[in-house]
C-alpha cells in the first residue's frame, strides 16, 4: 500500500510538473472519448432493435424475389400453405400496415394515429406485442380488439386509472362513427414493428387469393432449422400454388422466375433484404470514425509519452541504482497514464452530456448517458483499461528499460526505433485526418448535386393534404376539387395513391406485345402531372375532355417504355389486372424514390381494379398566396371534405421529399465533426511534438544563428521533417480515401463523378496547418538569444 501511495504521489507531481503536456494529453483524449461514447451509445441503440423479443433469432419475414426487384409483401394463402406443409415452422402470422392517419376523439380531445396496424393473434404472439393487461383473443372470427398507445390513451382519457375499454369517435366530430378501444399498449421504440394503434384479429385475409400481395408474413421456426433449405422448399411451394390450374406455359415459366426468401427479424431495422441498407452502412461508417478518433487520441498519448522520455531518463537511472525493478517502474508509469485516462474519461462524460441533445436531434433518437440499457456501465471501464494499456504499455516499457550507466553519464538519447515509431504514429494521425477531410468534401459535393439536380418534377409550392376520405371514383373527387380551386391562389388539385416522397409504390404484372414484366403502378386523378409539373415526352396527359380516360387510359414513364422495348408507345395496348389499357402518353422519368434507387418503370391510370386507395390530395398553390390559401382551406375543410371535418393536416411536399436526404445529411454532419476532431487532435499532437523537438534543438539553433543562418532558414529546417510527414500522409491517404468514397458513391443510382478537388484541398489544408503549428511553436526558440542557450556550455 505504501508503494502504491508513493507511485501515486510521484505520478501526480510529474503530471503537475508537465502541466502543458498533461493538458494536451488529457484534453485531446477527453474530446475523442466524448465522441466515442456518443458513437458507442448510438451503435448499441441501433443494433438493439427487436432484441427484447426472446425468440428474435428464430423469427423471419417471408418475402418474394422477382427478376427486377425484391419485396416483403406476400399474400394470405402463402402462410396457410407454409403452416400446413412445414413442421419446422412453429407459428406464423400476418400483419397489414394502415394506409392513412386516423383521428380518434373523446369530446374535445383528439389524437391522430399515424400508423393503425392490423395484426392477427398469432403474429402478435410471435412479435411479442403485449397490450397492458395481457394479449387477449378476439371472441369471434369477425371480432376485432383495438388498442391505442399509452400516450394516445393519456391524451384522450387523462384521468383514467384502470385498463377497461372506452368508446371513442372516429374521423370528424360529425361523422357519427364510434369504436371501442379495448385498452392501452406500450409501443416498443426499439422495434422494427412500430404503430400508434393496433387492430387485433383472429385471422386476416380470409378469402383473399395469391393476387393480394399487401401483407407481411412472419414465421417462427424451430431452433436449429436449416434456413437455406426452408427457403428453397417455400419457393417450390409458392411456385406450385400460384401455378395451380394454370395451362399457359409462358405464364408458368414466369411464375418459376419468382422465388422466396426468409429475412431475420433482427435485419429489418438496418439491412432488410428487400430494402435499403444505407442505415447499416452509415452506422458502420460512424462506428469506424469513432474508433479512429479514439485511436489517434491514443497515438497522441503514446507519442507525447515517448517524447517525454529524455526528461525522465535520470529519474529512472537513479531508481534502478537504488534497487527498483523494471516491473515496479512500469507500474509507476502506467499509474501516471491511468490517472490521465481516468480524468479524461470523467471530462468525456461531462462533454458527452453537453453534446447529447444536439446528437439526439441530429439522429432522431432519445439516448441517455445515465440509462443502464446503453451498456456504458461495463463498456467505459473496459475502454479505460484498454486505452491505458494501448497508450501506455510501450512508453512504460521504453522508460523502464533505460540503462543506468548510460543515462547517469549523460549519454542518453532516444533510439532510432522510438524516432521512427513517433514519426510513423504522427503520419498515421494525419492519414486519418486527410481521409476525413476528403470524405467530408465528397459528401458535400454529392449532397449539393442532389439538391441542385432536376428531379423531373417540381415539389415547390405543392401542399400534400393528409386525408381519410377515399376518392377512387373521379366523380367523387370532382366536387372536392371544384371547391378547392375556388380558393384564390390554388392553381391545381389532384388525388393519388401516393406522393413522390421516396416511399414505394404498388407493383403488378403488365404485358405489352407479349412481353410481361412486373412494374410499379400509381393510381391518379386528373391534373396529377400538371400539379407536380412533370414533363411530357410524347402523347398527352389525362384530360376530362376524353371520357375513356376514366375507363381504360394509361400513361407510362420512359423507364416502362424501355422495359417493354417500345419506341412509339402512344396508341399501344398494355394489359394488367385482367383489363386492357390504351397508352395515351409517356412522361419523362422523375426521381420519386430519390437518388439512391433508379427510377422504376411505372404505369399511371385513373381506373385500376387491383389498385390501392386514392387518399393523397396534392395542391399547387401560388407562393404569394400560400398563407391565405392554407387559412381558407382550414376554415372551409369541414364543408370541402366532410369526412375529414375539422382535421385539416398538411405537409409541404418539398420538405417531405427533403427527408430523403436525412441520412446523408447525418453523414455530412458526422464527417464534419470527425474531420474537425481529427485535425484538432493531430494538431495538438504536432504542437506538443514540435515543442519537444525544438526544445531538444535549442543549442543547434543557437549555433546556426551565430554562423549566420536567418530566421526563415531555421524555420524551414525545423518544418522540413514535419512537412515530409504530412506529404507522406497525403500520399498514403489518397488511394484509401478514393476507394472508400467510390464505394459510398456506388450506393447512389444518380451520383457525381469523383472530383479531384477534395484531394488537392486536403493536402493544402494539412500542409498549411502543419507549417503554421510548427512555426508557431518554433518561433520562441528561433527568437531566443543564442547566448542564453550556450552560456552554460
Amino acid at each position: 500500500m505504501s508503494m502504491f501511495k508513493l507511485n501515486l504521489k510521484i505520478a501526480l507531481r510529474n503530471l503537475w510538473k508537465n502541466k502543458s503536456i498533461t493538458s494536451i494529453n488529457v484534453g485531446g483524449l477527453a474530446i475523442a472519448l466524448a465522441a466515442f461514447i456518443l458513437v458507442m451509445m448510438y451503435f448499441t441503440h441501433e443494433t438493439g432493435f427487436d432484441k427484447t423479443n426472446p425468440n428474435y433469432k428464430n423469427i423471419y419475414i417471408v418475402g418474394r424475389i422477382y427478376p427486377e426487384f425484391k419485396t416483403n409483401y406476400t399474400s394470405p394463402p402463402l402462410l396457410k400453405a407454409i403452416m400446413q406443409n412445414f413442421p419446422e415452422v412453429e407459428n406464423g402470422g400476418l400483419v397489414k400496415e394502415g394506409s392513412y392517419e386516423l383521428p380518434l376523439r373523446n369530446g374535445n380531445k383528439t389524437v391522430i394515429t399515424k400508423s393503425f396496424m392490423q395484426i392477427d393473434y398469432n403474429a402478435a404472439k410471435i412479435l411479442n406485442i403485449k397490450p397492458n393487461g395481457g394479449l387477449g383473443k378476439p371472441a369471434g372470427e369477425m371480432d376485432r380488439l383495438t388498442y391505442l398507445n399509452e400516450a394516445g390513451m393519456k391524451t384522450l382519457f387523462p384521468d383514467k386509472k384502470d385498463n377497461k375499454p372506452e368508446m371513442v369517435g372516429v374521423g370528424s366530430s360529425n361523422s357519427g362513427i364510434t369504436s371501442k378501444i379495448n385498452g392501452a399498449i406500450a409501443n416498443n421504440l426499439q422495434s422494427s414493428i412500430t404503430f400508434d394503434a393496433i387492430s387485433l384479429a383472429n385471422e386476416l385475409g380470409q378469402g383473399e387469393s395469391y393476387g393480394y400481395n399487401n401483407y407481411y408474413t412472419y414465421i417462427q421456426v424451430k431452433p436449429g432449422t436449416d434456413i437455406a433449405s426452408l427457403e428453397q422448399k417455400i419457393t417450390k411451394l409458392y411456385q406450385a400454388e400460384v401455378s395451380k390450374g394454370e395451362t399457359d406455359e409462358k405464364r408458368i415459366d414466369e411464375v418459376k422466375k419468382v422465388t422466396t426468401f426468409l429475412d431475420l427479424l433482427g435485419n429489418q431495422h438496418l439491412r432488410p433484404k428487400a430494402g435499403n441498407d444505407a442505415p447499416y452502412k452509415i452506422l458502420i461508417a460512424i462506428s469506424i470514425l469513432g474508433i479512429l478518433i479514439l485511436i489517434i487520441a491514443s497515438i497522441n498519448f503514446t507519442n507525447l509519452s515517448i517524447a517525454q522520455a529524455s526528461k525522465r531518463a535520470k529519474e529512472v537511472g537513479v531508481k534502478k541504482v537504488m534497487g527498483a525493478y523494471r516491473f515496479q517502474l512500469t507500474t509507476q508509469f502506467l499509474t501516471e497514464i491511468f490517472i490521465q485516462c481516468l480524468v479524461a474519461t470523467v471530462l468525456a462524460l461531462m462533454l458527452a452530456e453537453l453534446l447529447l441533445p444536439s446528437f439526439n436531434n441530429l439522429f432522431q433518437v432519445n439516448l441517455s448517458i445515465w440509462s443502464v440499457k446503453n451498456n456504458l456501465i461495463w463498456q467505459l471501464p473496459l475502454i479505460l483499461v484498454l486505452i491505458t494499456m494501448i497508450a501506455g504499455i510501450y512508453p512504460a516499457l521504453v522508460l523502464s528499460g533505460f540503462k543506468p550507466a548510460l543515462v547517469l553519464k549523460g549519454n542518453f538519447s532516444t533510439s532510432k526505433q522510438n524516432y521512427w515509431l513517433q514519426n510513423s504514429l504522427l503520419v498515421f494521425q494525419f492519414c486519418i485526418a486527410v481521409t476525413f477531410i476528403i470524405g467530408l468534401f465528397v459528401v458535400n459535393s454529392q449532397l449539393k448535386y442532389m439538391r441542385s439536380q432536376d428531379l423531373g418534377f417540381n415539389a415547390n409550392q405543392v401542399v400534400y393534404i393528409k386525408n381519410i376520405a377515399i376518392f377512387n371514383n373521379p366523380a367523387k373527387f370532382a366536387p372536392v376539387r371544384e371547391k378547392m380551386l375556388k380558393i384564390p391562389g390554388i392553381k391545381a388539385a389532384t388525388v393519388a395513391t401516393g406522393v413522390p416522397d421516396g416511399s414505394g409504390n404498388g407493383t403488378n404484372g403488365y404485358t405489352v406485345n407479349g412481353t410481361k414484366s412486373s412494374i410499379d403502378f400509381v393510381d391518379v386523378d386528373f391534373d396529377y402531372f400538371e400539379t407536380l409539373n412533370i414533363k411530357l415526352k410524347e402523347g398527352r396527359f389525362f384530360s376530362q375532355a376524353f371520357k375513356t380516360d376514366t375507363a381504360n387510359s394509361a400513361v407510362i414513364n420512359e423507364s416502362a417504355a424501355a422495359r417493354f422495348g417500345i419506341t412509339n408507345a402512344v396508341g399501344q395496348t398494355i394489359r394488367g389486372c385482367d383489363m386492357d389499357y390504351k397508352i395515351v402518353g409517356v412522361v419523362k422519368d422523375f426521381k420519386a424514390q430519390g437518388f439512391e434507387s433508379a427510377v422504376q418503370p411505372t404505369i399511371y391510370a385513373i381506373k385500376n381494379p387491383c389498385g390501392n386507395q386514392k387518399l393523397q390530395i396534392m395542391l399547387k398553390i401560388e407562393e404569394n398566396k400560400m398563407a391565405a390559401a392554407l387559412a381558407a382551406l382550414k376554415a372551409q375543410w369541414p364543408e370541402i371534405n366532410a369526412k375529414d371535418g375539422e382535421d385539416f393536416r398538411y405537409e409541404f411536399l418539398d420538405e417531405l421529399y427533403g427527408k430523403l436526404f436525412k441520412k446523408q445529411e447525418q453523414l455530412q454532419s458526422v464527417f464534419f465533426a470527425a474531420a474537425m476532431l481529427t485535425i484538432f487532435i493531430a494538431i495538438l499532437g504536432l504542437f506538443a511534438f514540435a515543442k519537444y523537438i525544438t526544445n531538444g534543438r535549442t543549442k543547434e539553433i543557437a549555433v546556426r544563428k551565430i554562423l549566420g543562418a536567418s530566421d526563415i532558414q531555421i524555420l524551414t529546417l525545423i518544418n522540413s521533417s514535419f512537412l515530409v510527414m504530412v506529404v507522406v500522409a497525403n500520399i498514403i491517404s489518397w488511394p484509401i480515401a478514393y476507394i472508400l468514397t467510390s464505394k459510398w458513391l456506388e450506393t447512389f443510382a444518380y451520383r457525381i463523378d469523383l472530383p479531384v478537388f477534395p484531394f488537392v484541398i486536403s493536402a493544402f489544408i494539412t500542409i498549411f496547418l502543419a507549417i503554421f503549428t510548427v512555426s508557431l511553436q518554433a518561433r520562441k526558440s528561433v527568437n531566443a538569444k543564442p547566448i542564453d542557450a550556450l552560456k552554460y556550455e
Side-chain angles (χ1 to χ4, degrees):
M1 193 68 184
S2 59
M3 180 58 77
F4 175 77
K5 281 184 179 178
L6 181 64
N7 281 340
L8 186 63
K9 193 180 286 185
I10 294 167
L12 291 171
R13 281 177 179 172
N14 276 315
L15 293 174
W16 185 252
K17 186 180 175 183
N18 299 290
K19 289 190 287 290
S20 59
I21 297 294
T22 302
S23 299
I24 289 171
N25 259 351
V26 172
L29 190 58
I31 292 166
L33 258 174
F36 187 69
I37 286 168
L38 293 174
V39 168
M40 256 197 326
M41 287 166 61
Y42 184 62
F43 184 87
T44 302
H45 174 267
E46 289 294 290
T47 54
F49 270 65
D50 297 305
K51 287 186 178 177
T52 52
N53 189 322
N55 300 306
Y56 84 100
K57 288 184 178 178
N58 297 313
I59 297 170
Y60 293 83
I61 189 168
V62 183
R64 295 172 299 142
I65 305 173
Y66 284 82
E68 304 90 7
F69 65 93
K70 292 180 181 179
T71 177
N72 279 339
Y73 287 115
T74 48
S75 51
L78 178 60
L79 175 63
K80 284 186 177 178
I82 289 170
M83 295 304 296
Q84 288 166 4
N85 287 277
F86 307 121
E88 60 265 51
V89 179
E90 288 185 329
N91 201 355
L94 295 174
V95 172
K96 189 175 185 180
E97 292 177 326
S99 53
Y100 47 78
E101 297 183 2
L102 194 63
L104 301 178
R105 304 179 184 283
N106 177 32
N108 59 357
K109 301 179 186 72
T110 306
V111 293
I112 308 294
T113 57
K114 294 188 177 181
S115 52
F116 207 117
M117 188 175 78
Q118 296 179 57
I119 186 168
D120 69 23
Y121 180 75
N122 286 331
K125 283 176 69 178
I126 292 169
L127 298 171
N128 202 33
I129 290 171
K130 293 179 182 175
N132 299 354
L135 181 65
K137 203 173 193 314
E141 288 304 308
M142 301 307 293
D143 289 329
R144 297 287 179 102
L145 298 178
T146 303
Y147 297 96
L148 181 61
N149 65 11
E150 290 174 331
M153 285 296 280
K154 195 166 182 64
T155 300
L156 292 179
F157 306 97
D159 301 322
K160 188 174 174 62
K161 303 293 183 206
D162 55 38
N163 201 38
K164 290 179 181 176
E166 298 283 356
M167 295 302 292
V168 296
V170 180
S172 64
S173 57
N174 58 3
S175 70
I177 303 170
T178 59
S179 179
K180 184 196 283 185
I181 301 293
N182 295 86
I185 185 167
N187 202 349
N188 184 358
L189 297 176
Q190 250 187 309
S191 172
S192 54
I193 316 294
T194 57
F195 50 82
D196 288 337
I198 64 166
S199 175
L200 180 71
N202 275 309
E203 188 182 349
L204 290 177
Q206 296 105 312
E208 294 186 7
S209 68
Y210 276 96
Y212 289 86
N213 292 302
N214 50 5
Y215 291 85
Y216 293 127
T217 301
Y218 290 93
I219 60 171
Q220 183 178 327
V221 302
K222 291 177 180 176
T225 299
D226 184 340
I227 299 302
S229 171
L230 182 59
E231 275 183 333
Q232 291 173 356
K233 289 193 284 186
I234 292 174
T235 292
K236 286 179 183 175
L237 176 70
Y238 175 78
Q239 292 171 349
E241 288 281 313
V242 177
S243 301
K244 200 178 283 181
E246 188 68 60
T247 54
D248 185 353
E249 286 298 322
K250 195 171 183 182
R251 171 66 182 147
I252 292 170
D253 287 339
E254 286 167 358
V255 171
K256 284 180 180 176
K257 291 176 184 176
V258 182
T259 59
T260 65
F261 67 84
L262 297 177
D263 197 13
L264 257 176
L265 177 65
N267 289 343
Q268 298 311 300
H269 176 60
L270 287 174
R271 44 175 178 170
K273 286 183 181 177
N276 190 349
D277 66 348
Y280 176 73
K281 287 175 180 172
I282 288 172
L283 178 65
I284 295 300
I286 291 168
S287 303
I288 291 169
L289 298 187
I291 292 165
L292 289 175
I293 288 167
L294 196 59
I295 286 171
I296 66 164
S298 299
I299 286 170
N300 252 8
F301 220 117
T302 304
N303 243 351
L304 297 177
S305 299
I306 295 169
Q308 290 289 93
S310 59
K311 290 186 177 181
R312 309 290 297 274
K314 287 183 180 174
E315 176 196 334
V316 171
V318 170
K319 282 185 175 177
K320 281 197 167 185
V321 169
M322 297 297 288
Y325 292 106
R326 188 173 186 181
F327 173 76
Q328 291 172 313
L329 294 168
T330 303
T331 305
Q332 183 202 313
F333 295 133
L334 280 175
T335 302
E336 290 181 24
I337 287 160
F338 178 78
I339 289 168
Q340 292 177 78
C341 291
L342 184 62
V343 173
T345 304
V346 173
L347 289 173
L349 280 168
M350 294 163 67
L351 194 56
E353 181 69 23
L354 289 171
L355 294 171
L356 197 57
S358 300
F359 187 88
N360 281 341
N361 185 50
L362 175 64
F363 288 97
Q364 300 295 294
V365 288
N366 189 27
L367 303 178
S368 170
I369 287 174
W370 312 112
S371 168
V372 179
K373 290 181 182 178
N374 61 28
N375 294 333
L376 282 180
I377 198 163
W378 64 264
Q379 288 175 344
L380 267 185
L382 182 65
I383 289 161
L384 180 60
V385 172
L386 279 173
I387 292 172
T388 303
M389 300 306 289
I390 292 166
I393 200 75
Y394 185 78
L397 289 174
V398 170
L399 285 161
S400 63
F402 293 153
K403 293 187 172 88
L406 288 174
V407 296
L408 293 176
K409 284 180 182 176
N411 295 331
F412 168 77
S413 63
T414 52
S415 67
K416 282 187 178 179
Q417 185 184 353
N418 291 345
Y419 178 77
W420 278 105
L421 178 66
Q422 287 173 293
N423 286 359
S424 301
L425 292 175
L426 208 58
V427 167
F428 182 72
Q429 279 184 305
F430 273 95
C431 280
I432 296 172
V434 168
T435 305
F436 284 171
I437 293 167
I438 292 170
L440 174 64
F441 279 107
V442 172
V443 172
N444 281 350
S445 298
Q446 176 65 15
L447 267 172
K448 187 178 178 182
Y449 166 81
M450 286 159 67
R451 290 190 184 111
S452 61
Q453 264 290 98
D454 180 18
L455 300 174
F457 73 100
N458 189 355
N460 295 330
Q461 268 55 70
V462 176
V463 174
Y464 154 51
I465 299 175
K466 298 176 179 183
N467 152 65
I468 63 170
I470 299 167
F471 295 111
N472 282 22
N473 183 353
K476 196 174 178 184
F477 186 65
V480 175
R481 175 194 281 112
E482 195 177 321
K483 288 174 186 173
M484 290 191 291
L485 290 176
K486 284 179 181 176
I487 294 172
I490 298 179
K491 297 192 288 184
T494 192
V495 67
T497 55
V499 298
D501 62 351
S503 55
N505 301 313
T507 58
N508 213 334
Y510 291 86
T511 307
V512 179
N513 299 331
T515 302
K516 181 165 184 177
S517 180
S518 285
I519 64 171
D520 283 12
F521 65 83
V522 179
D523 306 335
V524 301
D525 207 292
F526 296 109
D527 294 336
Y528 174 82
F529 302 106
E530 293 89 335
T531 302
L532 293 170
N533 200 22
I534 294 164
K535 305 292 187 295
L536 184 68
K537 187 181 180 186
E538 58 178 293
R540 63 175 177 83
F541 294 140
F542 296 120
S543 169
Q544 295 186 53
F546 297 88
K547 290 184 178 178
T548 52
D549 281 3
T550 58
N552 65 346
S553 293
V555 172
I556 61 173
N557 65 358
E558 291 174 297
S559 291
R563 171 70 58 83
F564 292 110
I566 46 178
T567 46
N568 299 309
V570 175
Q572 296 203 40
T573 300
I574 180 168
R575 182 169 181 78
C577 196
D578 296 328
M579 66 175 284
D580 291 330
Y581 291 94
K582 183 182 177 184
I583 299 171
V584 297
V586 179
V587 293
K588 290 189 175 181
D589 285 345
F590 61 98
K591 299 179 180 69
Q593 269 82 34
F595 285 74
E596 290 173 28
S597 306
V599 173
Q600 296 301 306
T602 308
I603 179 172
Y604 303 89
I606 292 176
K607 180 182 179 182
N608 182 3
C610 299
N612 296 322
Q613 295 169 337
K614 291 185 201 173
L615 295 159
Q616 326 286 14
I617 297 172
M618 287 176 281
L619 307 176
K620 187 80 170 180
I621 303 176
E622 290 176 38
E623 187 174 5
N624 59 348
K625 294 180 181 175
M626 178 67 76
L630 289 172
L633 279 166
K634 184 174 175 63
Q636 297 175 33
W637 200 241
E639 183 193 337
I640 294 171
N641 190 357
K643 195 167 186 178
D644 242 8
E646 59 270 53
D647 299 307
F648 180 71
R649 307 177 308 286
Y650 66 89
E651 280 189 66
F652 292 108
L653 188 58
D654 55 352
E655 291 178 8
L656 200 60
Y657 191 83
K659 289 176 183 175
L660 294 180
F661 303 159
K662 185 71 181 173
K663 282 290 175 190
Q664 310 312 330
E665 286 168 351
Q666 287 173 352
L667 194 63
Q668 180 189 37
S669 300
V670 167
F671 261 101
F672 178 78
M676 294 302 104
L677 265 177
T678 49
I679 290 169
F680 176 72
I681 293 168
I683 293 302
L684 271 184
L686 187 65
F687 186 83
F689 195 38
K691 181 178 182 181
Y692 163 72
I693 293 292
T694 50
N695 286 349
R697 298 177 73 172
T698 304
K699 292 183 177 64
E700 178 196 339
I701 291 167
V703 170
R704 287 182 181 276
K705 286 189 82 172
I706 287 167
L707 293 174
S710 66
D711 289 356
I712 295 294
Q713 286 173 321
I714 293 168
L715 282 173
T716 304
L717 176 72
I718 295 169
N719 270 299
S720 59
S721 58
F722 291 103
L723 192 62
V724 168
M725 284 189 272
V726 174
V727 170
V728 168
N730 273 277
I731 292 168
I732 294 169
S733 301
W734 286 350
I736 297 168
Y738 177 83
I739 292 165
L740 292 175
T741 50
S742 296
K743 287 285 182 190
W744 177 71
L745 286 172
E746 282 172 13
T747 62
F748 294 91
Y750 308 99
R751 56 184 180 262
I752 57 168
D753 294 322
L754 195 59
V756 177
F757 170 75
F759 297 85
V760 175
I761 197 71
S762 69
F764 174 79
I765 289 170
T766 48
I767 288 169
F768 170 77
L769 287 173
I771 291 171
F772 178 78
T773 305
V774 174
S775 299
L776 193 69
Q777 178 54 56
R779 189 182 59 179
K780 187 179 175 183
S781 298
V782 171
N783 291 340
K785 294 176 183 176
I787 192 167
D788 292 334
L790 300 173
K791 63 184 176 182
Y792 296 111
E793 292 300 309

